[in-house]
Amino acid sequence: MDPAGYGLTFQNSSPLRFVTVEELLETTKGVTNMALAHEIVVNGDFRIKPVELPKDSLEKRVKEIVHKAFWDCLSVQLSENPPTYDHAIKLVGEIKETLLSFLLPGHTRLRNQITEVLDLDLIKQEAENGALDISRLAEFIIGMMGTLCAPARDEEVKNLKDIKEIVPLFRAMFAVLDLMKVDMANFAVTSIRPHLMQQSVEYERKKFQELLEKQPDSLDFVTQWLEEASADLMIQRYKHTLPASGEAASSKDALVPSAVSIQNYAYLKLLKWDHLRRPFPETVLMDQARFQELQGQLELLTVLGAVLLVTFSMSGPGVSSRADFVERLKTIVKVLLTDMHLPTFLLDEALTTIGEKVCLELSGCLALCGSPAFSIDKETVLKGQIQAVGGPDDPVRRITESRILTFLETYLGSGHQKPLPTVPGGLGPVQKELEELAVKFVRLVNYNKMVFCPYYDAVLSKLLLRS
């Protein structure tokens, strides 16, 4: 029986994957698991959590039966006269090892305390002589847990003091210790990330080089991707430098974008990629699912921003200046757009519902503000504008998306140094969501650049020489 034994999972854009603490620690010694190392580095939200067995699964039922048998046996032993402490001492031994595993090298005093108080040989002798005070040991363990736990666990540790019966107390202690293990593992993730990054960059680059040597055409889609980005940028610059008379710009050099700007623009193109019809560039294949997730977030944020933009433009400053109402309305619209990434989602139907809900909420807010209520005609216009956002060519939607992409490009080009760029006009209500998207996108892009920059530089140097 191992009450403290458990596995861990992490959640990201991919399905849940089983990860053991040992696997995590092994990853810190060397990049033995490229997928796990990559996940830790690129996913700033990487978190480990206890695995939860599916409800009514055979494994869950077996585990519950085994655990119940163990705790029942412990209860019987402690109820004997005199009590038998074999199982209880085993549990104290497991708790001792768990507490010691939480200590850092400098925790000499705490280590000595745990070793001295939870001396199993001494505890066995006390049990044999009828002198064991199990409540005193439990009190010490709870106090040590309070010393070593994260602040978020203070309340759970404090609640242990209210449990007077030994068996329920031991069960509760193991439950909290499991949570503390997860906290410690997540702390380890944060600590190893900088060290792991350099290892992972070198390892992934080495593996890609080996692939390239076996398959020399492994940069074909990357080359096409960068060439398209360069061509798009040159067309944009040509339009911006074209004189009013319509004559061609005088300097061709002014039209040629830099290698960095081409790369940045190429990454932005991945947020508008047709994944069903176009092969993904080879160097970003490992992150294709992540870019698809970001693309879904971009689309949702675009529609959300456009809906709020037309709503507050029509309702006036008296409404848009009420932060509590803005947040409430944003939350409502976000909830109704939650499943937008699903192929079965019907955007037109959702926008019809959103239009009705927005007008209802506005009516209440205007009444509180003492402002005149919307006329039926004005409500009809607003609902129509919200409905129009569903079309990809809707001017408000296009403007909103363009401003979001400009924000992402500016942040990417700034070297992702804080503070973030100023939020574009009209996107103030979605500033939090926009900045979260930017941080995820730039983290992913910058890591990819670190791994594959030699290959991008080689492709772009040839490309720019031809320009």
Side-chain angles (χ1 to χ4, degrees), residues 142 153-164 169 172 176:
I142 294 172
R153 304 297 173 201
D154 285 344
E155 190 65 26
E156 288 157 303
V157 173
K158 180 182 176 183
N159 291 340
L160 294 175
K161 298 177 182 179
D162 297 329
I163 304 175
K164 304 305 179 185
L169 176 57
V176 177

Side-chain angles (χ1 to χ4, degrees), residues 54-69:
K55 186 179 180 181
D56 297 328
S57 66
L58 176 61
E59 188 177 359
K60 184 178 179 66
R61 291 201 300 272
V62 170
K63 182 177 179 180
E64 289 173 348
I65 291 170
V66 172
H67 278 216
K68 184 178 185 302

Side-chain angles (χ1 to χ4, degrees), residues 436-453:
E436 288 175 353
L437 174 64
V439 169
K440 289 180 183 177
F441 174 67
V442 171
R443 178 192 289 273
L444 187 58
V445 168
N446 283 338
Y447 179 75
N448 186 268
K449 281 185 177 182
M450 283 192 287
V451 177
F452 297 106
C453 60

Side-chain angles (χ1 to χ4, degrees), residues 167-207:
V167 174
L169 176 57
F170 267 95
R171 294 189 71 162
M173 284 195 295
F174 272 103
V176 177
L177 284 169
D178 279 354
L179 295 175
M180 290 173 63
K181 282 185 179 182
V182 175
D183 295 338
M184 184 60 68
N186 281 318
F187 174 75
V189 166
T190 304
S191 302
I192 69 172
R193 185 176 277 121
H195 169 72
L196 191 59
M197 180 174 289
Q198 187 56 44
Q199 278 193 326
S200 187
V201 165
E202 294 171 359
Y203 187 79
E204 289 187 37
R205 189 183 298 163
K206 175 185 174 184
K207 289 298 181 183

Side-chain angles (χ1 to χ4, degrees), residues 90-126:
K90 288 180 181 179
L91 291 182
V92 171
E94 290 188 23
I95 291 173
K96 175 184 177 180
E97 294 305 313
T98 300
L99 292 175
L100 290 173
S101 72
F102 293 152
L103 300 181
L104 298 175
H107 288 159
T108 306
R109 183 180 61 82
L110 293 177
R111 189 179 305 277
N112 290 340
Q113 277 186 281
I114 294 171
T115 303
E116 179 182 339
V117 177
L118 302 183
D119 183 333
L120 296 187
D121 291 333
L122 179 60
I123 291 173
K124 287 176 184 176
Q125 291 179 19
E126 291 177 342

